Amino acid sequence: MRLQTTLALAAAFALAGAAHADTELVIATVNNGHMIEMQKLTKYFEQANPGVKVKWVTLEEGVLRQRVTTDIATKGGQFDIMTIGMYETPIWGKKGWLQELKPDAAYDVDDLLPAMRNGLSVDGKLYAAPFYGESSMLMYRKDLADKAGVQLGDHPTWTQVKDLAAKIHDPKNGVYGICLRGKPGWGDNMAFITTLANTYGGQWFDAGWKPQLESKPWKDATNFYVDLLKNYGPPGSSANSFNEILALFNAGKCGMWVDATIAASFVSDPKQSKVADKVAFAQAPTAVTPKGANWLWAWALAIPSGSKKVPEAQKFISWATSKDYIALVGKTNGWATVPTGTRKSTYENADFLKAAKFAPAEKAAIDSANPNDSTLPKSPYVGVQFAAIPEFQAIGIAVGQQMSAALAGKTSVDAALKASQTAADREMKKAGYYK
Amino acid sequence: MNRFLPRALMAPAVAALFLWMIVPLAMTIYFSLIRFNLMQPEVRGFAGLGNFEYFVTDPSFMTAVVNTVVLLASVIAITVAGGIAVALLVDAPFPGRSLVRLLLIAPFFVMPTVNALLWKHMMMNPIYGVLAQVWQFFGLQRVDWLTDLPLFSIILMVAWQWLPFATLIFITSLQSMNREQLEAATMDGANYLQKLRFMVIPHLGRSIAVVIMIEMIFLMSVFAEIFTTTGGGPGDASTNVAFLIFKQALLNFDAGVASAGALFAVLLANVAAVFLIRMIGKNLD
């Protein structure tokens, strides 16, 4: 009896509190198309959840990373929800910096693609919910390949790609054989170069955490990359990343492009691409091994462990990464623009499959990536195009700088790899992985 | 005793200023001596001089120091020489002089980041930049400025930003030039170059010293231009000490090493200041 009264009182207080105090959720996110769309649709969430107001802090990827990392490491508590990637999630989850996510049954956790769910979990606990996911694949101009009399099939090799690039390379008419990332950054050129090194049989660190940048696979991969772009790439490649190449490809200047699967929806969209009807898709090219040839990435939403507004934050995350949200975007914006790469149900949706001809290739690429087993020799780290350890950002940036210098012809491949190895070795020593 | 009262009255202000300086400095020194990486909060403890050693043995360290000095020297040389030239040009009255002067000062009020973006996209882009168009007009090979001449590009941007500052100071200084003396020199048959060499430049001596001093202080820590255009690259071709510290602090999240780097920058600034005061301090008495 007394218990009931207490509960009733508590409930009344709670309601009273909710009635005259809006909870404000501060969300840090990255400035790309899907996220901007989410901000526009936030009003639907606010209508469904009176008393919760959402405040957005939108930043460029690099700045977002700095802000979010310093905030979480210093327990700053500026953000209730953070947009983080597949790199941060396992590290921070392990450190206990993130709240475990426990969505309700309606959310249907089992609908998440296994690769995404595993990449965002630590010891079977989900720490971030995928908002959209991607792998990498080959996009190429079917018309040019046909003219050259080449059939690429679904699983091309890098040798085939190089031969085709040589055949369609025509700088006089402004068509370059192949465009690839060259702008320094662990998420820019290193994402691509790491997948290339993986497929040549390389790895970042061996079982004793020793960096392997001067090993034969890395030498082969880097030489191949520099030669390929020097001979059949556009000028100024060392400053190109995703957006720059997307503009080139859409203008019809690239014969081939290996990059994020998300690009497929842009290059096949007649509104922005001149070559929308001429594009074909294949899996990322392979060399020695198919392991780790295509990357795996997700932008995901997570709650820092110090948050005072966990229930509301959980509610928002459940909404933004739900099937219903995807359907909402499909309804309001068209099915070609929904966030992809997160749920099985998306790829079973007839409307989506009709609007997105790249869907099967994208799903195959995501399903074939395994962050826990992405290198030919066994590796101690998790991650396909990165190693999920705190030191990797610094190492990736240093190596990325060297690679772009090699690509720009400022240094030789061997010297660049030697400098990279030194930089990686210093970081790992400082962090105490070995003496 | 009679000296005590004014000192006692000044004490609070002096103490506040002292604290203003000493607390951050003490914190920086403390951080530089401990293991303090934001990404590994569980690793703490006394690091001795490990952080300093790590910063100084960074393969980019010497490059960064040399780049810092080259950047400083070039920008100061360009702004002093250019500033004097421009100031002499607009010294004599002509119609619309005040408007021209106003336009000359304008770049100084552009934020460094905006300045960098303007140069990066509008001027230096190898495909649609103004410079590329000019090069093409003359049938020359377009220059990919930020890839092939990264440090020179940064020098150009910063010099453009600081030229108005130097010009402004020299214009005011020229106002107080003794016209009668100049006229007398002309009567004695001195040509323009002689007048410049023996009268104008000595007259500008003090303001040149001021310009060099102030630019030195501000240009030590050029950062925004590098961050928004080249990101310190390609390789480390345009990394200066400030950018190297940024890399340690915000890309590697290592507050310990970054603090050690910051202390090194303080040292560098002091060495430079000592030399400067020796060299040009004579002009300031």
Side-chain angles (χ1 to χ4, degrees):
Chain A
M1 181 67 216
R2 181 179 295 176
L3 182 69
Q4 279 174 340
T5 329
T6 322
L7 278 179
L9 273 175
F13 272 120
L15 282 173
H20 63 74
D22 275 356
T23 313
E24 190 187 56
L25 286 176
V26 184
I27 309 182
T29 193
V30 64
N31 62 346
N32 64 32
H34 285 312
M35 308 294 177
I36 309 281
E37 195 49 45
M38 169 164 54
Q39 296 176 27
K40 286 191 199 132
L41 296 172
T42 302
K43 56 177 187 288
Y44 291 98
F45 171 78
E46 287 177 338
Q47 279 158 12
N49 296 280
V52 182
K53 284 268 168 286
V54 176
K55 185 177 160 212
W56 290 94
V57 179
T58 314
L59 302 161
E60 188 256 331
E61 183 176 334
V63 182
L64 171 83
R65 234 181 219 111
Q66 288 159 22
R67 285 281 304 272
V68 164
T69 307
T70 40
D71 184 64
I72 201 153
T74 54
K75 309 248 185 307
Q78 295 174 42
F79 307 114
D80 303 303
I81 296 179
M82 296 175 166
T83 305
I84 58 178
M86 209 173 255
Y87 164 74
E88 289 91 356
T89 312
I91 301 175
W92 295 0
K94 207 178 286 167
K95 285 191 190 295
W97 290 356
L98 300 173
Q99 288 278 359
E100 187 192 343
L101 295 182
K102 295 181 179 148
D104 50 13
Y107 181 77
D108 192 3
V109 174
D110 295 324
D111 184 41
L112 297 178
L113 294 174
M116 293 296 157
R117 194 175 166 181
N118 293 341
L120 298 170
S121 299
V122 180
D123 304 331
K125 291 183 186 147
L126 187 67
Y127 283 102
F131 181 69
Y132 81 85
E134 62 177 41
S135 182
S136 56
M137 63 183 180
L138 173 69
M139 292 154 272
Y140 65 99
R141 292 271 302 277
K142 192 85 184 80
D143 56 326
L144 297 178
D146 288 346
K147 208 164 73 183
V150 176
Q151 288 294 329
L152 271 184
D154 272 344
H155 294 275
T157 65
W158 274 110
T159 320
Q160 288 173 320
V161 168
K162 186 177 171 177
D163 293 344
L164 179 56
K167 286 202 174 91
I168 57 183
H169 186 59
D170 185 9
K172 281 206 177 55
N173 295 316
V175 178
Y176 302 97
I178 187 162
C179 299
L180 297 168
R181 295 181 179 198
K183 188 179 174 182
W186 69 265
D188 294 303
N189 64 348
M190 285 326 289
F192 171 75
I193 293 172
T194 304
T195 58
L196 191 63
N198 285 342
T199 189
Y200 268 93
Q203 59 184 154
W204 271 100
F205 308 103
D206 69 0
W209 288 108
K210 277 262 190 300
Q212 297 297 306
L213 292 160
E214 288 193 279
S215 60
K216 187 174 177 302
W218 272 92
K219 282 205 166 130
D220 294 347
T222 313
N223 276 313
F224 179 82
Y225 164 79
V226 170
D227 288 344
L228 188 64
L229 278 184
K230 220 185 287 184
N231 295 327
Y232 314 118
S237 270
S238 59
N240 288 353
S241 196
F242 181 86
N243 290 322
E244 290 85 354
I245 302 177
L246 179 62
L248 287 173
F249 197 98
N250 281 348
K253 294 199 177 305
C254 300
M256 285 182 275
W257 180 24
V258 179
D259 212 303
T261 47
I262 200 89
S265 59
F266 304 135
V267 297
S268 55
D269 169 10
K271 277 206 284 290
Q272 54 172 302
S273 169
K274 277 193 201 162
V275 292
D277 53 343
K278 304 189 181 79
V279 193
F281 307 102
Q283 295 300 297
T286 54
V288 177
T289 169
K291 272 191 181 184
N294 51 323
W295 71 61
L296 187 71
W297 184 254
W299 280 114
L301 299 172
I303 310 171
S305 55
S307 176
K308 304 269 186 297
K309 304 165 189 166
V310 176
E312 292 86 355
Q314 174 72 63
K315 238 187 232 162
F316 181 87
I317 292 181
S318 294
W319 171 81
T321 60
S322 64
K323 294 176 198 170
D324 299 346
Y325 175 83
I326 293 173
L328 177 67
V329 179
K331 264 209 308 284
T332 50
N333 266 11
W335 276 94
T337 62
V338 299
T340 55
T342 54
R343 289 174 165 272
K344 295 171 198 162
S345 54
T346 310
Y347 293 93
E348 287 153 8
N349 182 309
D351 294 327
F352 172 68
L353 292 177
K354 206 162 55 223
K357 61 172 180 172
F358 54 86
E362 176 177 71
K363 182 159 190 295
I366 291 175
D367 286 343
S368 68
N370 180 355
N372 294 310
D373 180 22
S374 60
T375 54
L376 194 55
K378 197 88 197 77
S379 292
Y381 57 87
V382 177
V384 182
Q385 76 281 20
F386 55 82
I389 54 171
E391 295 70 28
F392 180 76
Q393 287 194 62
I395 295 172
I397 288 163
V399 178
Q401 285 277 23
Q402 292 298 334
M403 295 290 150
S404 79
L407 186 60
K410 297 241 177 274
T411 155
S412 72
V413 168
D414 283 355
L417 286 172
K418 189 163 189 291
S420 303
Q421 177 74 10
T422 312
D425 188 52
R426 277 165 46 87
E427 284 294 334
M428 298 304 276
K429 267 209 186 89
K430 183 175 66 150
Y433 281 84
Y434 50 83
K435 278 277 168 283
Chain B
M1 184 61 217
N2 57 354
R3 297 279 286 283
F4 174 75
L5 187 65
R7 278 186 188 174
L9 289 173
M10 274 197 308
V14 172
L17 272 178
F18 182 71
L19 283 176
W20 189 256
M21 177 205 83
I22 203 71
V23 171
L25 186 66
M27 280 172 76
T28 308
I29 291 174
Y30 168 68
F31 286 151
S32 73
L33 295 172
I34 58 168
R35 284 182 218 289
F36 183 20
N37 187 316
L38 290 179
M39 298 302 291
Q40 295 150 305
E42 61 279 0
V43 183
R44 278 283 188 277
F46 185 66
L49 294 177
N51 288 332
F52 290 91
E53 188 198 358
Y54 185 81
F55 187 79
V56 174
T57 53
D58 189 309
S60 316
F61 173 75
M62 264 337 280
T63 320
V65 174
V66 171
N67 284 348
T68 308
V69 174
V70 169
L71 184 76
L72 260 178
S74 323
V75 174
I76 288 177
I78 295 172
T79 48
V80 169
I84 292 176
V86 175
L88 286 170
L89 272 180
V90 297
D91 187 40
F94 61 89
R97 184 170 70 161
S98 53
L99 180 73
V100 169
R101 283 187 180 178
L102 194 69
L103 288 177
L104 282 174
I105 316 285
F108 197 56
F109 298 104
V110 179
M111 281 177 286
T113 329
V114 177
N115 161 28
L117 286 173
L118 277 177
W119 278 94
K120 180 183 180 178
H121 292 292
M122 201 172 91
M123 304 298 294
M124 288 179 172
N125 183 292
I127 293 162
Y128 54 76
V130 171
L131 295 174
Q133 304 293 343
V134 173
W135 258 244
Q136 209 187 353
F137 178 79
F138 287 107
L140 297 162
Q141 184 67 35
R142 299 168 176 198
V143 182
D144 188 352
W145 293 88
L146 293 170
T147 308
D148 297 333
L149 303 162
L151 192 60
F152 178 74
S153 305
I154 304 276
I155 289 170
L156 215 56
M157 288 172 208
V158 180
W160 181 78
Q161 175 110 56
W162 282 87
L163 187 63
F165 166 78
T167 309
L168 188 62
I169 294 203
F170 295 140
I171 287 177
T172 19
S173 179
L174 282 176
Q175 303 285 312
S176 62
M177 187 85 207
N178 188 329
R179 306 279 151 184
E180 283 176 10
Q181 266 187 8
L182 274 178
E183 241 166 76
T186 318
M187 301 291 278
D188 290 343
N191 63 23
Y192 184 76
L193 281 179
Q194 285 168 323
K195 275 187 285 184
L196 199 64
R197 159 88 182 71
F198 292 103
M199 301 181 68
V200 180
I201 301 286
H203 173 78
L204 289 176
R206 183 171 296 191
S207 45
I208 291 176
V210 169
V211 168
I212 292 179
M213 281 285 239
I214 291 182
E215 286 195 8
M216 183 118 191
I217 294 164
F218 280 94
L219 296 179
M220 244 350 177
S221 53
V222 165
F223 171 77
E225 288 85 352
I226 296 175
F227 177 73
T228 39
T229 55
T230 62
D236 52 13
S238 57
T239 300
N240 68 352
V241 174
F243 194 81
L244 195 64
I245 295 170
F246 161 80
K247 275 212 299 202
Q248 289 297 346
L250 276 177
L251 300 180
N252 306 2
F253 298 106
D254 196 324
V257 176
S259 302
L263 288 176
F264 174 80
V266 171
L267 190 76
L268 193 71
N270 279 310
V271 169
V274 166
F275 270 102
L276 260 186
I277 290 168
R278 281 256 174 105
M279 266 181 358
I280 53 179
K282 299 186 202 91
N283 284 326
L284 290 175
D285 45 17

